[in-house]
Amino acid sequence: MSDTLPYATRFGSNSGQSTSRRDGVAKVTGAATFAADNHPQGLLYAVYVPATIARGRVTHLDVAAAKAHPGVVEVMTPQNRPALAGDPDSKPFMFAFRFEALQDDTVRYANQPIALVLGETIEAATEGARLLNPQYQVMPPRVGLDAEAPYKVVVGNFGRPGETVHGDVAAGHAAAVQSVDVTYETPAQYHNAMETHAVVASWDGDQLTLDMPHQAIVMSRGVFGYYFGIPAENVLLRSPYLGGGFGSKSIANGPQVLAILAARMTGRPVKLMLRRDQMFGPVGHRGATRQRLRIGIDEAGHMTVLEHEALAATSTFDDFVENAANASQGLYAAGALRSAHEGVRIDIGTPGPMRAPGEASGSAALECAMDEMAERAGLDPLEFRLRNYAETEPGTGKPYSSKALRACYAQGAERFGWAGRPLKPRQMRDEQGMLVGWGMGTALFPAPMFAAQARATLRPDGSGLVETAAADMGQGAWTALAQIAADGLGLPLDKVEFRSGSSDLPDGGIAGGSGHTATAGTALHAAGVDAVRQLTAMAVSDPASPLFGAGNASIVARDGRLFVAEDASRSDSYADILARAGGQALVGTGSGGRAPEAAGRHAMYSHGAVFAEVKVDPDLFQIRVTRLVGAFAAGRIINPKLANSQLYGGMIWGISFALHEEARFDPRTGRIMNADFAGYHIPVNADVKGLEVITVHEDDPFVNALGIKGVGEIGITGTVGAIGNAIWHATGTRIRRFPIRIEDLLAHA
Amino acid sequence: MSLSISLTVNGAVRDVTLNDARVTLLDLLRERLALPGTKKGCDRGQCGACTVLIDGRRINACLTLAATLDGAEVTTIEGLACGDMLHPVQAAFIDHDGFQCGYCTPGQIMSAVGLIAEGRAGTDPERIREGMSGNLCRCSAYHGITEAVLDATTRIAAEKARKSA
Ligand code: FES
Ligand code: FES
């Protein structure tokens, strides 16, 4: 950990530049190799057979029919499935979930794998899978949040407590002169990265090579090593590009494990690519929630209490209860705060982390409830939030490491033109007679760090090689991390080769929690600084160097040269220094992570404010988001162009949450009725216009040495509520269920 | 069964013997012709990731049976650039950050090339958004995609004007 670096960190030449993606040419020419693009010799294709019931047993599979089909090579069922060394029903790691890998004939949710068919061609394997024609013993499925009695969550996701209380909640309610008590619902949502989960697995003895998109490249070596009974070092996982991850590609799942097993069983490489409908089940999702919010305020509009309870669905066999209520911790200065979670076990695949897990659903409900409270108090929603602005973290009293939220409110409101917004709903129309509404929401996301390692090599020619197994799932790691690394090495970006995305490199940590750039970036920068420090020691002790005798501390690195800070005429190039020292490359190492003391001293979050305009047809109630302005403060922005893309993307996920996506379960069968892109709606290009992002400057000396927070997830938070609130402002109707649909508004017309 | 077809892919004539009538153009390209640049996002015509041009028209390769393509001219993402010279749409996608993960990108770009050639959207952002709405992007790079298509439309028009002048 390098909380304080030995040199004043120098930024500006590479970091902070809107460099275009370094993998851009590969991606626009089709040369970028995604997992399923690999085609090793002797390849077999795997197709998994999904359960078409949600609960029960498989009683028959027509294996003979499938095997008789030309080109079908093997059919794997619970009868002949080779043993796994690690039990898929165990949870040996923090990021391990229980999963179905044909351990028996039970069906725990629709779409779980019940067989795997291997064929010489995709066509043969697909047809073989169809011919299995499963027969079932069906049990009535448990569907929806009311199917079973809820249970109290004691330890929540990622080890957070199920319930958090600060202050005297009862006294907070008693002190309130006005209050709201509202319940919001959010649906099951599925990640649906455009690249479905895929793997190409090849065995060579007990060496396993996996081409597989993965958000935790080095960590997963140990995971797959565990299930297959081989040392972690025997697993080579290559994931240069992920076609989107959003949290779903960080966890081992049944279909991929079965494909790897099939490769060992047949002695041939196996390719499996999930079908789109198979993305709805075995690879996680955002669980449905029902959230109750109770807010009380005093005469002055200050919150006396904020109580947030969330009930969320999880599977019958594992725990991942959307920790939505935690979104109310850390944001508003309520006199008393309580967040509590309950789970309900139903016949679904286990939920998992999906872009802004907890925060997205929680923020949606919280920001709408805040709007309802402001409405009741007769206050402008922004004014209400400013009255409850937290100067220190509510409950804990910890200072924020940085918090430019006031500037976000001000700049966002200014750009949007918030001033003069009528308090009452249904006051605005456009030229076409559409109802116009404006709403806002606060965005909040924690700024965590994980752990990462990196290596930086100065080559004899003075160029640099930096290495860490980072994952680029679209956020721009190939570019932003290289920029940071180049700054660490004091080299221009084009003199730095960046190797990443493969498990034989130093552990780049997890691409998740919006902490990847901060974590891997810190490691890379520290590695570069370490290399430069060694180089400096060589130069100042070399009588042939113009730097001879200068103090280490007075040397700065820039553009491949070392300079005496006070006397730029004294300088020496990296190549010359290394040449005189014998022409050997020089290797620096570094790590990234947060010291526990630093985490204990400060509350660390990215902040933002989102303002939305919607237009609603007064007769048809069609809803359009016509403008969306988000102002975000997220520490140091390494690459504004790529950071903006992340924020745009997050805000569009907010549009999606507010208006589009929802998995709908058939209550009779427990199956998802819209498990494809025709029925599971996400925004298309025509749904998106009038988007603006502002990044508010923020220096954060505490989050990490580089001052980086993160931008990957915060864009969703705030946005959903802003849109919901704008719809109320346009129509006068509060819809307390997402996504908000035409028929919801029609029902109130 | 076995069926021989001959089609032109990115300017090269390919004689293909199909042992299976079920092979789609998408799987033909990806698994049999070593052209995996075209992506599979849904395999049923709902996402546009597999968009290629057939005889200049954009189509979903996943919905097109290879056996129907005898004599067809297919252009994929691999055939767009001239050596190191990117097609204006490709260059504009990089300049405007019209992608994040890059998975939908081959389809977006082929769709944009088709849209511009169709000449119906012009430089009206609203019509470009509509015209590009058959191509889903879960990363939601739509802002950059629209900017890129607008820019490329202008660049291509200028290039045409220069050539005809
Ligand atoms: S893969 Fe062809 S449209 Fe989706
Ligand atoms: S760039 Fe990732 S799906 Fe479009």
Side-chain angles (χ1 to χ4, degrees):
Chain A
M1 165 63 217
S2 53
D3 210 9
T4 49
L5 293 171
Y7 295 71
T9 54
R10 187 190 53 78
F11 271 85
S13 54
N14 296 300
S15 296
Q17 304 294 322
S18 278
T19 309
S20 289
R21 288 174 197 269
R22 294 183 102 203
D23 50 349
V25 171
K27 283 179 175 173
V28 301
T29 56
T33 308
F34 292 84
D37 299 347
N38 289 287
H39 201 291
Q41 278 287 315
L43 185 65
L44 281 177
Y45 295 87
V47 171
Y48 97 72
V49 182
T52 51
I53 64 165
R55 186 183 179 202
R57 279 183 53 237
V58 179
T59 54
H60 186 254
L61 291 166
D62 198 346
V63 175
K67 279 196 158 166
H69 187 74
V72 171
V73 171
E74 185 56 274
V75 176
M76 197 197 286
T77 70
Q79 263 71 54
N80 66 342
R81 191 268 256 161
L84 280 169
D87 178 2
D89 275 315
S90 66
K91 283 170 78 86
F93 312 101
M94 174 151 83
F95 285 93
F97 280 51
R98 298 192 176 97
F99 58 84
E100 306 63 42
L102 305 179
Q103 50 270 56
D104 55 36
D105 61 9
T106 56
V107 175
R108 306 195 275 199
Y109 60 91
N111 271 351
Q112 84 165 53
I114 56 172
L116 190 80
V117 177
L118 297 159
E120 295 287 353
T121 62
I122 298 184
E123 294 78 21
T126 303
E127 183 65 6
R130 196 187 65 80
L131 289 167
L132 281 178
N133 190 26
Q135 307 296 310
Y136 304 97
Q137 181 187 344
V138 186
M139 290 172 70
R142 291 154 291 194
V143 181
L145 290 168
D146 299 310
E148 285 285 317
Y151 69 94
K152 213 174 176 48
V153 174
V154 180
V155 181
N157 306 333
F158 317 117
R160 291 185 65 176
E163 179 169 4
T164 307
V165 181
H166 293 292
D168 186 336
V169 172
H173 284 299
V177 296
Q178 279 184 309
S179 60
V180 294
D181 179 349
V182 289
T183 299
Y184 278 81
E185 289 197 6
T186 67
Q189 301 175 346
Y190 287 75
H191 304 78
N192 277 308
M194 286 307 296
E195 176 201 38
T196 62
H197 290 242
V199 60
V200 175
S202 322
W203 288 90
D204 180 2
D206 64 353
Q207 302 283 324
L208 173 61
T209 301
L210 298 173
D211 289 298
M212 174 192 263
H214 213 288
Q215 294 176 238
I217 292 170
V218 170
M219 185 185 84
S220 65
R221 285 191 321 172
V223 173
F224 291 110
Y226 167 80
Y227 292 116
F228 291 96
I230 54 176
E233 309 76 68
N234 288 20
V235 180
L236 174 64
L237 190 148
R238 298 183 292 210
S239 179
Y241 305 106
L242 294 86
F246 314 117
S248 71
K249 289 175 181 162
S250 49
I251 294 154
N253 59 68
Q256 283 173 328
V257 166
L258 288 173
I260 300 168
L261 201 51
R264 188 153 72 176
M265 182 180 182
T266 57
R268 291 172 64 175
V270 166
K271 181 191 290 196
L272 169 80
M273 189 176 198
L274 263 56
R275 298 194 313 238
R276 180 56 56 187
D277 59 297
Q278 297 174 336
M279 295 289 282
F280 293 77
V283 292
H285 70 283
R286 196 195 302 282
T289 75
R290 179 181 298 144
Q291 303 174 54
R292 182 181 183 195
L293 279 117
R294 281 172 282 179
I295 303 174
I297 56 170
D298 65 15
E299 299 283 0
H302 294 133
M303 292 159 72
T304 57
V305 64
L306 169 58
E307 215 182 339
H308 193 159
E309 294 166 321
L311 166 70
T314 188
S315 68
T316 55
F317 54 95
D318 209 345
D319 299 277
F320 193 93
V321 175
E322 197 66 16
N323 49 345
N326 289 342
S328 285
Q329 301 283 331
L331 185 48
Y332 297 115
L337 269 175
R338 175 171 171 267
S339 299
H341 298 91
E342 288 185 327
V344 57
R345 297 198 180 283
I346 56 175
D347 298 305
I348 52 174
T350 310
M354 175 161 155
R355 201 173 192 178
E359 283 83 4
S361 312
S363 163
L366 169 64
E367 292 304 318
C368 289
M370 288 293 286
D371 206 66
E372 296 205 49
M373 189 71 253
E375 175 200 350
R376 183 144 312 168
L379 288 171
D380 174 84
L382 174 54
E383 169 58 23
F384 178 53
R385 285 169 176 82
L386 286 169
R387 281 197 199 177
N388 291 284
Y389 194 88
E391 302 294 349
T392 57
E393 188 182 42
T396 70
K398 277 191 217 173
Y400 291 100
S401 60
S402 62
K403 180 176 178 178
L405 177 57
R406 255 202 198 86
C408 294
Y409 285 139
Q411 293 183 30
E414 165 82 29
R415 181 72 61 88
F416 183 84
W418 182 258
R421 168 188 176 275
L423 272 188
K424 297 217 168 320
R426 271 190 104 91
Q427 302 298 303
M428 303 194 295
R429 298 247 181 178
D430 74 358
E431 323 70 68
Q432 273 92 46
M434 297 289 157
L435 299 165
V436 178
W438 292 354
M440 58 89 53
T442 310
L444 179 80
F445 199 81
M449 286 180 82
F450 305 101
Q453 316 290 323
R455 187 162 54 225
T457 305
L458 282 174
R459 291 161 161 162
D461 67 356
S463 68
L465 165 67
V466 291
E467 299 166 288
T468 191
D472 194 332
M473 49 185 179
Q475 80 279 35
W478 279 116
T479 312
L481 290 179
Q483 288 175 268
I484 296 170
D487 280 342
L489 278 173
L491 284 171
L493 188 55
D494 61 6
K495 284 276 182 322
V496 175
E497 181 189 344
F498 180 38
R499 288 193 193 146
S500 183
S502 180
S503 67
D504 52 359
L505 299 172
D507 187 356
I510 300 168
S514 296
H516 199 35
T517 308
T519 310
T522 302
L524 285 162
H525 192 268
V529 169
D530 184 38
V532 170
R533 177 171 37 208
Q534 296 175 45
L535 189 73
T536 303
M538 280 180 183
V540 296
S541 58
D542 177 0
S545 171
L547 305 178
F548 180 65
N552 280 5
S554 68
I555 302 293
V556 292
R558 189 171 61 238
D559 288 335
R561 300 184 75 83
L562 297 181
F563 294 83
V564 174
E566 317 79 65
D567 177 7
S569 69
R570 285 177 69 192
S571 79
D572 202 354
S573 79
Y574 292 4
D576 288 345
I577 300 168
L578 290 168
R580 286 195 306 271
Q584 298 293 313
L586 189 160
V587 181
T589 57
S591 62
R594 183 170 286 142
E597 321 86 74
R601 277 194 302 270
H602 288 96
M604 302 179 186
Y605 298 93
S606 294
H607 294 91
V610 182
F611 298 83
E613 176 183 270
V614 301
K615 293 190 177 176
V616 180
D617 186 300
D619 303 310
L620 303 174
F621 292 96
Q622 195 184 39
I623 307 161
R624 304 279 292 170
V625 176
T626 46
R627 281 195 303 135
L628 209 49
V629 174
F632 300 95
R636 185 191 300 278
I637 300 298
I638 299 303
N639 184 320
K641 184 174 181 169
L642 307 193
N644 282 2
S645 288
Q646 287 271 286
L647 292 165
Y648 285 131
M651 288 163 69
I652 295 168
W653 273 56
I655 297 176
S656 192
F657 194 125
L659 299 179
H660 297 265
E661 57 185 292
E662 169 180 27
R664 306 190 79 165
F665 291 82
D666 184 334
R668 297 162 306 177
T669 64
R671 296 177 68 185
I672 296 173
M673 297 183 286
N674 57 342
D676 60 37
F677 277 139
Y680 187 89
H681 293 167
I682 59 171
V684 299
N685 203 323
D687 292 310
V688 176
K689 62 172 177 182
L691 227 55
E692 270 190 79
V693 161
I694 301 166
T695 44
V696 172
H697 180 84
E698 197 174 58
D699 285 315
D700 192 319
F702 303 112
V703 273
N704 47 59
L706 306 181
I708 300 169
K709 289 178 174 175
V711 293
E713 296 166 271
I714 189 171
I716 311 172
T717 72
T719 303
V720 186
I723 294 170
N725 296 336
I727 291 170
W728 167 78
H729 193 239
T731 63
T733 305
R734 286 277 178 202
I735 305 299
R736 299 190 179 91
R737 185 191 166 287
F738 291 105
I740 297 175
R741 296 168 304 193
I742 291 174
E743 53 266 41
D744 298 323
L745 291 174
L746 268 175
H748 289 83
Chain B
M1 76 135 259
S2 162
L3 175 73
S4 292
I5 58 167
S6 175
L7 68 172
T8 308
V9 183
N10 299 330
V13 177
R14 307 287 294 251
D15 296 313
V16 178
T17 303
L18 289 170
N19 57 359
D20 197 319
R22 299 166 298 194
V23 179
T24 62
L25 173 59
L26 178 58
D27 289 330
L28 175 74
L29 292 168
R30 289 183 52 78
E31 306 297 342
R32 296 171 189 236
L33 297 183
L35 289 170
T38 305
K39 296 293 180 263
K40 185 182 284 190
C42 69
D43 216 14
R44 54 179 62 186
Q46 297 168 345
C47 77
C50 63
T51 306
V52 298
L53 302 181
I54 293 187
D55 303 326
R57 278 190 63 219
R58 44 187 179 153
I59 58 101
N60 291 149
C62 69
L63 291 186
T64 308
L65 287 173
T68 66
L69 293 176
D70 192 32
E73 192 165 321
V74 181
T75 310
T76 74
I77 191 72
E78 289 98 337
L80 214 50
C82 276
D84 283 349
M85 257 281 280
L86 293 180
H87 185 280
V89 173
Q90 292 173 311
F93 265 69
I94 295 178
D95 290 349
H96 296 276
D97 212 31
F99 54 94
Q100 292 182 32
C101 76
Y103 194 81
C104 72
T105 311
Q108 300 278 0
I109 288 174
M110 297 314 290
S111 192
V113 171
L115 178 72
I116 293 169
E118 287 157 27
R120 281 179 298 158
T123 51
D124 177 354
E126 201 70 21
R127 300 185 71 163
I128 288 175
R129 287 186 200 111
E130 287 290 343
M132 292 298 294
S133 282
N135 293 81
L136 298 180
C137 176
R138 185 55 155 166
C139 296
S140 304
Y142 297 124
H143 181 86
I145 291 169
T146 304
E147 298 290 312
V149 177
L150 266 169
D151 186 11
T153 305
T154 315
R155 288 193 215 183
I156 289 169
E159 180 69 7
K160 265 207 190 123
R162 198 183 57 78
K163 276 197 186 137
S164 63

